[in-house]
Amino acid sequence: MKHLRLQWLLWATLALLVTPAWAEHEERIGLVLGGGGARGAAHVGVLKVLEEQGIAVDFIAGTSMGAIVGALYASGYRADDIEAILERIDWAVALSDQPERELLSPQRKADAALIPSSLEIGIGLDGLRTPRGLIQGQNLGLLLRELLLPVSRIEAFDDLPIPFRAVAADIVSGESVVLDSGDLVDAIRASMSVPGAFQPIRIDDRLLVDGGVVDNVPIDVARAMGADRLIVVDVGAGLADEEALASPASVTLQVISILMERQTRQTLDLLAEGDVLIRPDLGDIGSADFPRSAEAVPLGKAAAAALTAELQAFSATPQRLAAFEARPRPAEAEHRRIVSIEVDDSRSRMAFLVDSRLSGLVGEPADPRRIERWIGEVYGEGHFERIAYVLDDEPERDGLVLRVTPIDKTWGPHFLRLGLRLSDDFDGGGAYQLDALARIASDIRPGSEWRMRLGLGEINELGASWRVPFGEHARSYVHPFASARALDQPLFIEDQRSELARLRWTRGRFGGDLGRDWSTRTRTILRLERGQDRLSRKIGPGDGIIERVRENYGFVGLGIVRDSLDNATFPTRGQILDARIEFYQPWMGSETSAEVLRFDFTRARAFGRYHALGGVRGVSARSDELSLQALDFLGGLGNLSGYGERELGGSQLFLSRLLLMRRMGDTQQLFALPTYLGISLEAGNVWERRRDFDVDDLVYAGSLYLGVDTPLGPVFLGYGRADSGRSAVYLNFGSLIRPRQEF
């Protein structure tokens, strides 16, 4: 028996000596990165210290901004790489939905010119519908997809260089949802979709929002992944003081913060002995201060460095650290050829448009920036909530398959755009204008839409049209229309301020356009139009004043619009040209024969905070017969300042102007209302006949104004004066850049 025990002891000793090192259990380290919006950039500073201390992370669990930083680190990016990414992000672009304005379709630009407001809601038999979030996340999604493209083919997040989990919340059931597989970008977007701010993300059968509302510091998730000890980073903003609770919105946010703080405290109670909690002091950096995110990085590094002694206990062995540091980095973007495009049409009735427009990428290198620009152009059509893509291998054809998933706006496909314009010269000349444009998707032909226009106020208008795209990439269209319009036109005593009379001008018309969008910048138009103008005296003396005029007209028109402005109201670059010629002929039903040329050109430049706009506008009628159709008008702020709206009218018109503006306040604030202080210098006039034109007749004018770009459209408060002695104070809703409005 004694010899048997000795034999077992010898065998056990031998087994211990020959057992390989990998068979020993190594302590597994979990990294938990909490949510906090822009404050989450502090995670990058913590990662810098972990790398300096030689800490190898086995698992990462993150929520919201912690999910973004965690996913990047888990995908192979190092701390310095992520810091460089944060520094180069243009947050104003990333946290918006619209692509560059240059990528918007000519039709959407025309709609915005018609109604400058960005207020657009869905309409249907069940009533009005609105987006579930202010931001759909299209640009942010494309940015994340570009950064994570090298790992986009990985289905299970355990197969990333570092196993990863993102935490989201099911907005319907209120349950916490741990995302461990699928589309990594969608998982991140779901985890950071702050309710009300970002549109929820649907993954499988769940509608997901920011995981911070249920598990802002997911300690339990990291434990479940198999972590023995944890490094936890909490960047929560805490509760606001009483002075900050100055509005219903701030009180509502405080209630949400209270619930999150309570949940976070309960979660932190799960920390065990040997775990480390890092809570950076981020001062007044708020969760929405993304332009200040770079400031949070050194603060996170300082907080982690203060706990160096505790973190040293997590340092890996040389062999373990070497293996960790050898994990693959994200590969350079693959520029292999795109051999085919597959569009998922399960969530979009406009998928055919995506397929058609992106077909030009076949045979081209798979450059993410190029792909995103093409996608941005399709997104600019205004039909989609978001458009996602992945690149998959196609071994048989030695190339890549571009798989695109367009998702229609969930509050569509029928939309109502609303706008309100006010103007007042503080001298009794006030007016308002309420505009509505309804776009009803038509099933008669894919991509076609019924358009209905209603205007109330200064100009009353009711109209309907049907826009039908056709041809290659659906860039050509036909557009039959009919409408009725009525407005009051003032008549002034020449060289005096008093109004002599007020006329009622009504116009009924019908016709059609044949157009072609050659690119997002250029559109050409062929128009046939017939109609009737009626002019009658509404207010004023009977003698010598028009009692009633009825005039039929018909014309064939040709036009070109080229618009490359980067902003429709306060541009920094680009230009807009609108040139048209109208041929009024008896065979078209016109009572007069005339040729009317209309020309409008504006160019923009910027020098830091300063914006400059220069423009020329002209109208010339080749006929000595004065017709209502040839009339055009001057007057209003920036449109021969000092005069009232449409105060000067004639069939010959010339205006040249220069506008200089300075951006006020902090230009880095994301959600501030851009405010500008500006001046204008103008020269122009109107004449009845071409031979009356004389440079000596030009009126010189200027203005000083304050402009604010609001979600309901631009607002201007200004004072204008002309050398004729006319002056006016203006309060206007509407852009100073007024391209010819199309219905």
Side-chain angles (χ1 to χ4, degrees), residues 485-632:
R485 173 185 294 187
L487 59 87
D488 290 342
Q489 176 61 40
L491 285 182
F492 290 85
I493 300 175
E494 188 174 359
D495 298 328
Q496 295 186 31
R497 192 171 184 79
S498 59
E499 184 178 329
L500 176 62
R502 186 169 291 266
L503 307 178
R504 187 64 171 173
W505 184 359
T506 62
R507 171 177 290 181
R509 63 174 188 148
F510 66 93
D513 290 341
L514 174 62
R516 168 75 177 176
D517 294 340
W518 300 96
S519 68
T520 58
R521 297 183 175 190
T522 306
R523 163 179 283 187
T524 55
I525 304 167
L526 169 64
R527 167 169 291 187
L528 301 178
E529 180 176 323
R530 288 195 63 177
Q532 184 181 86
D533 283 318
R534 295 185 180 185
L535 197 64
S536 60
R537 177 172 54 86
K538 183 176 181 180
I539 301 174
D543 297 334
I545 301 298
I546 296 173
E547 285 291 341
R548 186 175 300 275
V549 172
R550 178 180 299 179
E551 188 174 286
N552 296 315
Y553 74 89
F555 71 84
V556 178
L558 297 173
I560 180 171
V561 180
R562 182 169 175 81
D563 184 353
S564 62
L565 294 178
D566 64 339
N567 186 286
T569 306
F570 302 104
T572 63
R573 67 178 187 276
Q575 59 191 30
I576 180 170
L577 167 68
D578 190 333
R580 304 169 189 243
I581 185 168
E582 300 165 353
F583 299 93
Y584 292 84
Q585 296 295 326
W587 62 268
M588 279 290 297
S590 180
E591 295 181 8
T592 60
S593 296
E595 298 171 7
V596 180
L597 175 65
R598 306 182 193 274
F599 179 87
D600 197 342
F601 176 78
T602 299
R603 185 168 186 176
R605 294 287 298 275
F607 310 91
R609 286 178 175 265
Y610 294 90
H611 298 195
L613 298 177
V616 177
R617 178 174 164 229
V619 176
S620 180
R622 189 177 177 181
S623 173
D624 285 339
E625 297 181 58
L626 179 62
S627 64
L628 294 175
Q629 297 78 46
L631 285 178
D632 215 319

Side-chain angles (χ1 to χ4, degrees), residues 265-319:
R265 285 196 298 268
Q266 294 173 350
T267 300
L268 294 179
D269 289 340
L270 300 176
L271 290 174
E273 185 177 354
D275 297 336
V276 172
L277 173 62
I278 303 173
R279 304 184 89 168
D281 182 3
L282 299 173
D284 64 345
I285 298 178
S287 57
D289 291 335
F290 286 95
R292 299 181 60 191
S293 58
E295 299 177 28
V297 175
L299 299 177
K301 184 175 181 179
L307 298 172
T308 298
E310 289 87 341
L311 290 174
Q312 285 177 346
F314 290 81
S315 298
T317 64
Q319 297 85 354

Side-chain angles (χ1 to χ4, degrees), residues 179-313:
L179 301 167
D180 59 2
S181 62
D183 188 311
L184 182 58
V185 172
D186 280 354
I188 298 170
R189 280 280 292 106
S191 181
M192 57 151 294
S193 292
V194 179
F198 283 91
Q199 182 84 354
I201 298 294
R202 184 172 296 281
I203 297 180
D204 297 330
D205 294 329
R206 291 180 178 267
L207 195 62
L208 304 180
V209 297
D210 193 317
V213 300
V214 292
D215 197 356
N216 199 45
V217 186
I219 292 173
D220 53 336
V221 176
R223 292 261 193 242
M225 294 176 73
D228 297 305
R229 284 202 297 161
L230 302 177
I231 299 172
V232 179
V233 189
D234 179 15
V235 293
L239 301 178
D241 56 28
E242 184 175 348
E243 294 181 357
L245 303 177
S247 67
S250 63
V251 173
T252 301
L253 291 175
Q254 183 81 334
V255 172
I256 296 174
S257 297
I258 290 172
L259 298 175
M260 291 179 62
E261 278 288 304
R262 180 179 301 172
Q263 180 272 327
T264 298
R265 285 196 298 268
Q266 294 173 350
T267 300
L268 294 179
D269 289 340
L270 300 176
L271 290 174
E273 185 177 354
D275 297 336
V276 172
L277 173 62
I278 303 173
R279 304 184 89 168
D281 182 3
L282 299 173
D284 64 345
I285 298 178
S287 57
D289 291 335
F290 286 95
R292 299 181 60 191
S293 58
E295 299 177 28
V297 175
L299 299 177
K301 184 175 181 179
L307 298 172
T308 298
E310 289 87 341
L311 290 174
Q312 285 177 346

Side-chain angles (χ1 to χ4, degrees), residues 72-216:
L72 292 173
Y73 199 65
S75 299
Y77 287 97
R78 274 44 171 187
D80 287 342
D81 300 330
I82 303 174
E83 183 179 25
I85 290 170
L86 291 176
E87 290 175 347
R88 73 169 185 261
I89 291 176
D90 185 339
W91 289 104
V93 174
L95 296 179
S96 67
D97 295 318
Q98 290 289 2
E100 298 178 19
R101 185 178 180 274
E102 299 172 57
L103 298 181
L104 295 180
S105 71
Q107 188 60 52
R108 297 302 164 238
K109 290 177 182 177
D111 289 347
L114 190 67
I115 302 180
S117 168
S118 60
L119 179 60
E120 184 180 71
I121 57 179
I123 53 177
L125 296 177
D126 55 346
L128 302 180
R129 297 190 293 267
T130 60
R132 292 172 172 153
L134 298 176
I135 303 171
Q136 310 310 308
Q138 170 68 9
N139 289 344
L140 181 60
L142 290 178
L143 172 64
L144 292 173
R145 204 160 292 279
E146 178 185 339
L147 295 172
L148 297 171
L149 197 58
V151 296
S152 62
R153 299 182 187 90
I154 295 178
E155 176 70 18
F157 300 165
D158 280 340
D159 295 335
L160 293 168
I162 303 174
F164 170 74
R165 299 289 186 273
V167 178
D170 187 324
I171 193 63
V172 177
S173 68
E175 298 174 345
S176 174
V177 179
V178 179
L179 301 167
D180 59 2
S181 62
D183 188 311
L184 182 58
V185 172
D186 280 354
I188 298 170
R189 280 280 292 106
S191 181
M192 57 151 294
S193 292
V194 179
F198 283 91
Q199 182 84 354
I201 298 294
R202 184 172 296 281
I203 297 180
D204 297 330
D205 294 329
R206 291 180 178 267
L207 195 62
L208 304 180
V209 297
D210 193 317
V213 300
V214 292
D215 197 356
N216 199 45

